[in-house]
Amino acid sequence: MSKIQQHRLSLPKILTLGFLVIIIIGSLLLKLPVATQAGLTTKYSDAFFTATSATCVTGLTTLNTAAHWTIFGQLVIMILVEIGGLGFMTFTVLLFSMLRRQPNLTTRVLVKESLNLESLADVKTVMKYVISLSLAIQALGVGILMFDFIPRYGWLKGSYFSVFHSVMAFCNAGFDLFGNSLESFSNDPYLIFVLSLLIIAGGLGFLVWRDVLLWHKKHQISLHTKIALSTTATLLVGATVIFWVTESQLQQLKGAANGWARFVDTFFLAVAPRTAGLDVMPYSKMTMAGIVLTMVLMFIGGTSGSTAGGIKTTTIGILWLQSWAVLRGDEDVEFAHRRFTQNNVFRAAMLIFVAAIIVVIAVMILAATEAVPKQFGLEYIVFEVLSAFGTAGMTMGLTPNLTLIGKIIIMVLMFIGRVGIFTVMFTVLNSDHPQKRYRYVEEGVMIG
Amino acid sequence: MSKIQQHRLSLPKILTLGFLVIIIIGSLLLKLPVATQAGLTTKYSDAFFTATSATCVTGLTTLNTAAHWTIFGQLVIMILVEIGGLGFMTFTVLLFSMLRRQPNLTTRVLVKESLNLESLADVKTVMKYVISLSLAIQALGVGILMFDFIPRYGWLKGSYFSVFHSVMAFCNAGFDLFGNSLESFSNDPYLIFVLSLLIIAGGLGFLVWRDVLLWHKKHQISLHTKIALSTTATLLVGATVIFWVTESQLQQLKGAANGWARFVDTFFLAVAPRTAGLDVMPYSKMTMAGIVLTMVLMFIGGTSGSTAGGIKTTTIGILWLQSWAVLRGDEDVEFAHRRFTQNNVFRAAMLIFVAAIIVVIAVMILAATEAVPKQFGLEYIVFEVLSAFGTAGMTMGLTPNLTLIGKIIIMVLMFIGRVGIFTVMFTVLNSDHPQKRYRYVEEGVMIG
Ligand SMILES: [K+]
Ligand SMILES: [K+]
């Protein structure tokens, strides 16, 4: 086995352990007395849960972010979100380049794995580009949010809130400083709309940004960008239409009576599950049909190479086109005059199957360990599982009431959801076992 | 396009329409006044629903089979179940052969499609064999059940009940003449165990029977049988263990206090969802974890080429092994010293994905149209959808209260579940469009 192969095999482990180390450091910082408001104490399990939720850019909380943590604690959360959102490997490369040392092969391959770049070329350039663009969009977000928050909260608090929530929206993390997410802002379409755009921008991923920004030069868009944008647009429009029908109650919500505010709120219901975690209405009050749609959107999530979680728009887009082709009797799966590689379709199918198994097992365990309030049913558990696995961060109310086993399950889900099924599982299962030198005979089996 | 190709393309349509015709004839027979008990009337929507449920060997009922239908009505249901269970194509071949005419190519290909036989050889022989063996097992079941039912109900009613429930168990259809399924028999392990064996036998399918029965001659078992038996055994043992833990309440159930009765009842909880439809306890009283497990089992169902529904044991077995291989970094998917064909894995992945889409869409529609009682949540709808799609026939109580839209959705699910996703979808989507003569360029996309 060559050295490069050895490196390649150990990379998922480095990635997995790296995330774990960041979470542990974060939990220790949050456990410091200076992180907790005077008069309150923080259990280590809660500090660990919060650090996991932040690093995995989820936003599920066992403690109220606004009421429990000091500004120091909130800044720790924000930094963990930024690290999780941009990826710690990006920081590694930046650090190396700042130290004026060439990133070595391992580091560069690591970046490639984590960001799914198809070639090793320009990793350093791309990293710089990703970080600059991400920070630029977030800075733009801060500027725009200030117009809303400074008149509302004054210069100091207004600026702080603008920074915090711009980071959260762009990184698709669901922490907020209002205590009840955006539920008080359903009559503020300006704010909701700006946050929607930040969430969507973060969830598209840098491969899409690059294609869009270089359009004037190259006049060429990759298949990845085409399928990602098509799926994103389809989901946003479709979900907005369905939520407009099912959540007609938004008209009765305090202050959201005018049509434009209701439209923006409905649009936000479609945007937030992919996978922002902020909400304009409590999900416990949503209709059953709306909850199911939200679950589906959380499971799908955003685009690969972005701050969003879920099984990704490209995965669902490819499987959709593939199924359509199979059912119609077509041989190839095509989109925009291109064929998908066989390997892509295969990987997508395995990803969704393993994801489904993980979700079902988690639901079964939580169904046994957690208490479901009388007015809810299975959706109370499934919602939280999909929210964690998709690193969405929405809640129907289970997370603050989790048992210890429940907390562990939700943390594991967030971790797998953010680091990636393939990376985590590969770390756990692959013990560098040698490939066999022979192949068995093929045999067919009845399916369906 | 050659003639054979034209025939092949139109076969799914013949199969789909054939099932539809049988359902319509059945519904007209059930609408006859002689089918309904004196003093009662049958709406056509209920007759159609019952005929669909019977032909699709499901067992979901909007009317109580024992209380609403006369013996004539019950016999119509039993015959529809037998037709659905053995498949109308089997009957077609039998009819042809009885008429001493050679089945033509279309018919033989039709049988091959429907039963997924890999070669056309011996179709006629196999058909005769399937029918004889099925009837023999059912006759054996009748004989064994008589020992329980005749002392209980007398010769006439006892014999009738033995025939009816032997057919139902073997065909994995959930109709019963007791009014409350097997809930009064939880202290009759003999009956529950015999029915379990009939259900399992019916759900294994004729390819497995053939391999098992010819073992003494050939000393060779196909990959299909190996994967089907392994998956079935794993699911039965695993589910029995889990139900033993979650449904400890069975100990408190009337009369099921002794260990053996409780074990058999627990075993039955694992057997019935695949996809028999009979129950020893009301599912509305099951624990949440047990309900989730039941849902999973209903979705998986039995083995291809059997009387059971669901996405099939072979499908789930292959995907499980495939995922394991991908996660471990192995190149081939192997089982029992054989490789699965690429085509098998692909078909399995597409089947489960399309099935999931159908289930989610149905859940969303029913969540909007049906009323969920206060004490239940989403599980009330998902359970019924999976029961219909897997042609299982268990209920948490929604089916008798369905709205008209709800009835239509559940009927469509049962139909797709029984006839097969590929067959139905191919019928609807494939308009014999010509294959393209060119292929597009391949391009990779980021997944996960
Ligand atoms: K999130
Ligand atoms: K059934």
Side-chain angles (χ1 to χ4, degrees), chain A residues 27-72:
Chain A
S27 70
L28 294 174
L29 289 172
L30 288 174
K31 188 71 180 101
L32 292 177
V34 66
T36 306
Q37 294 271 11
L40 298 172
T41 50
T42 306
K43 277 191 288 185
Y44 186 68
S45 69
D46 286 324
F48 197 78
F49 190 95
T50 307
T52 306
S53 182
T55 311
C56 301
V57 291
T58 304
L60 285 171
T61 51
T62 52
L63 303 167
N64 190 307
T65 312
H68 186 87
W69 304 107
T70 60
I71 290 187
F72 173 81

Side-chain angles (χ1 to χ4, degrees), chain B residues 11-12 64 83 116 120 137 192 195 200 232 236 252 275 285 310 313 351 359 387 396 414:
Chain B
L11 286 174
N64 190 306
I83 293 174
N116 279 307
L120 268 176
I137 297 176
I192 302 294
L195 290 175
I200 294 173
T232 302
L236 285 178
Q252 280 88 54
T275 48
K285 296 211 174 137
T313 54
L351 182 68
V359 166
S387 178
M396 284 188 73
M414 293 192 288

